[in-house]
Amino acid sequence: MRQAEQVTFGGSGLDRAAHLRDDPAALAALWEGGNCRILLIWRGKPLCALPSEVAVASDSAIVPEALAWIRPDHPMVTGAAAGAVFLGICTAGRARFSVDISDWQPDNLDDTALLGFVDSSEQRHPDLPQGTGFVELRRIMAQLSREDAELAATARAVFGWHHSHGYCACCGAKSDMAQAGWQRVCPSCDAAHFPRTDPVVIMLITHGDAVLVGRSPGWPEGMYSLLAGFVEPGETLEAAVRRETAEETGVEVGAVSYLSSQPWPFPMSLMFGCAGEALGREITIDPKEIEDAIWVSRQDMMTVFEGEHPDIRQPRKGAIAHFLLQNWLADTLD
Ligand SMILES: [Zn+2]
């Protein structure tokens, strides 16, 4: 697919400068140099430049469009270099790090807002610049620059891994961050552990002029998306597409081809977008896996994407399902 890398989180050409990860002197020089910027992450949410207070007051629908970077001399990151993740050198030549401040407990925190399908809450830290706040990445991913999107996805995924993999998988001892955040090492048995990325297939299954979409319980009313599922050990992408489609809907799939991939740091997946040709249209859903599955004609899907369908809502903008359906409608999957 020629436009494969145009997907959100499709990569910006960031120089990750992996050779510097085990060079503490070079990293310290980058951190202390005047050309370093740091992205704060709080419970997976990056610090963003919010619209002005006035703009928010007049139109709460406005969402931020840029990450907010702070300098290493900001009091919030004093002494934080040892726990920082080195993200790389951006196109402007700046060193980019990320620091996690998940231990911060905001006043009057609404925990339930953080768990919603769309977390629209914003947490403003009193010591950070006015007009900045922590924002759920899925809410802003489609508006970020390619570079900010890659940096935010990387920081979120790596810190998510540190939070869920704090103990050695070999012996159970508490492990330590190493390699500027790109490894954990066990002080007890010396095992090294690396950030995980879990492969997921997401499939554009078509039959004639119709596409197969499904919905999970708990999604916003009327929202349908492409079927998806984790690739199992010992399985190819093609086999995973056929198995997941059959398990969830009973639809048999013939030819499968690769289209595009998307890093999906929620918490640490890599989505493999694939096309699959269904051998028939009969659907038998597995209610343990999905709530509903339907075939939608190209004409009806156009109406969905125009926001005018009476019953069906499009997938989340910025998600690869949205990207693949959009390209299917535009006939640009080749
Ligand atoms: Zn160990």
Side-chain angles (χ1 to χ4, degrees):
M1 181 178 175
R2 278 192 296 260
Q3 298 187 43
E5 290 176 279
Q6 298 303 310
V7 68
T8 297
F9 301 131
S12 63
L14 173 72
D15 174 9
R16 295 176 176 232
H19 62 288
L20 299 177
R21 292 172 186 167
D22 63 352
D23 188 340
L27 290 173
L30 285 175
W31 180 277
E32 284 154 19
N35 219 6
C36 167
R37 297 292 183 274
I38 298 152
L39 177 65
L40 292 179
I41 297 271
W42 177 79
R43 303 185 192 176
K45 299 171 75 165
L47 187 69
C48 293
L50 301 172
S52 71
E53 310 276 313
V54 176
V56 170
S58 64
D59 182 358
S60 60
I62 292 176
V63 294
E65 296 182 357
L67 301 179
W69 296 87
I70 63 170
R71 295 168 187 267
D73 59 359
H74 193 285
M76 289 287 295
V77 291
T78 302
V85 169
F86 175 52
L87 301 174
I89 310 286
C90 73
T91 44
R94 286 210 166 108
R96 302 289 195 177
F97 290 84
S98 185
V99 169
D100 187 292
I101 63 156
S102 293
D103 287 343
W104 170 53
Q105 185 68 21
D107 292 336
N108 306 316
L109 177 64
D110 178 5
D111 284 315
T112 54
L114 303 179
L115 300 172
F117 185 84
V118 177
D119 169 13
S120 56
S121 68
E122 295 167 356
Q123 288 74 35
R124 297 168 196 235
H125 193 293
D127 298 335
L128 288 169
Q130 190 156 16
T132 67
F134 294 97
V135 176
E136 162 58 37
L137 183 53
R138 275 168 285 206
R139 201 174 136 222
I140 54 166
M141 59 188 174
Q143 287 103 293
L144 293 176
S145 71
R146 299 186 68 72
E147 190 164 78
D148 271 3
E150 179 171 357
L151 290 160
T154 304
R156 189 191 151 99
V158 173
F159 278 122
W161 171 71
H162 284 296
H163 280 298
S164 59
H165 290 73
Y167 293 85
C168 177
C170 301
C171 77
K174 194 165 184 358
S175 56
D176 301 317
M177 185 188 276
Q179 292 275 335
W182 290 90
Q183 209 180 107
R184 294 190 72 85
V185 290
C186 176
S188 176
C189 75
D190 291 333
H193 302 282
F194 298 86
R196 285 188 53 173
T197 298
D198 298 330
V200 174
V201 284
I202 182 158
M203 37 279 190
L204 185 91
I205 304 297
T206 55
H207 189 268
D209 83 329
V211 64
L212 181 61
V213 290
R215 59 172 276 113
S216 294
W219 282 9
E221 192 181 346
M223 187 177 132
Y224 281 78
S225 186
L226 300 180
L227 304 178
F230 286 102
V231 180
E232 294 189 342
E235 191 174 45
T236 62
L237 296 180
E238 291 85 351
V241 166
R242 293 189 188 102
R243 176 184 53 76
E244 281 287 343
T245 306
E247 283 177 4
E248 293 185 353
T249 66
V251 171
E252 298 294 323
V253 174
V256 173
S257 56
Y258 167 78
L259 293 172
S260 168
S261 68
Q262 181 184 48
W264 190 246
F266 309 101
M268 52 185 96
S269 294
L270 177 61
M271 312 294 288
F272 288 93
C274 295
E277 294 174 20
L279 302 178
R281 292 199 186 188
E282 192 175 327
I283 293 174
T284 309
I285 66 158
D286 177 353
K288 291 200 292 292
E289 298 239 9
I290 57 173
E291 188 177 274
D292 192 22
I294 49 174
W295 289 99
V296 178
S297 72
R298 186 182 291 261
Q299 191 57 50
D300 277 353
M301 192 55 82
M302 280 183 182
T303 312
V304 171
F305 270 65
E306 285 158 4
E308 289 171 4
H309 197 283
D311 304 316
I312 304 174
R313 286 174 60 184
Q314 60 184 288
R316 204 194 292 256
K317 273 183 194 155
I320 191 170
H322 188 278
F323 173 78
L324 294 179
L325 282 168
Q326 203 166 39
N327 279 282
W328 176 66
L329 290 175
D331 204 16
T332 48
L333 288 176
D334 55 340

